[in-house]
Amino acid sequence: MMNESSERYLSQAIATVAQSDPLIKLLREVRMGRMQPTDAGLRAITESWLGTYQQVIEKGDALDHVGLRRLDPIPRLEVLIEAGVVTSDHAAVAGLQAAYEQALAARVA
């Protein structure tokens, strides 16, 4: 069970990540053909979002294992990769995955 501090951080973290999430509106534009996956604006927004997501994970010391699992970026990354917006070997994708895995390992240890 998460304590109040953990729950507060988790709520703030989810709100921060959701605020610039490209999946909500921009990915729909790609799927409808109104925007290309390689569009410079989409790439800039996506890279900024990936950086924000990584910062949230890295600063999430208040989170326990369960809270951190709720911030798992892998499903969202898979959608972006499948849509061709980023590749699995993109530096920001790899950085976010590594930060998440490191944070998760620290909570298990």
Side-chain angles (χ1 to χ4, degrees):
M1 190 79 181
M2 289 195 314
N3 63 37
E4 188 176 326
S5 175
S6 292
E7 286 186 31
R8 187 174 29 255
Y9 183 82
L10 180 61
S11 293
Q12 290 172 344
I14 290 171
T16 298
V17 169
Q19 184 175 7
S20 62
D21 189 344
L23 295 179
I24 296 171
K25 293 182 182 173
L26 298 177
L27 196 57
R28 182 172 13 134
E29 297 297 312
V30 170
R31 289 188 173 143
M32 295 175 76
R34 295 183 189 157
M35 184 179 265
Q36 296 299 311
T38 56
D39 182 272
L42 176 59
R43 185 158 309 271
I45 290 167
T46 301
E47 290 194 20
S48 173
W49 175 76
L50 291 168
T52 299
Y53 210 140
Q54 184 170 342
Q55 288 177 350
V56 165
I57 297 292
E58 290 173 345
K59 293 180 181 179
D61 293 338
L63 292 174
D64 62 9
H65 184 264
V66 174
L68 188 60
R69 283 274 187 202
R70 291 185 55 199
L71 289 176
D72 185 353
I74 306 305
R76 300 191 90 67
L77 292 174
E78 288 173 350
V79 171
L80 290 170
I81 291 167
E82 181 180 306
V85 175
V86 292
T87 60
S88 60
D89 62 348
H90 187 280
V93 170
L96 176 54
Q97 287 177 323
Y100 178 73
E101 291 167 8
Q102 183 179 20
L104 202 55
R107 277 147 191 93
V108 174

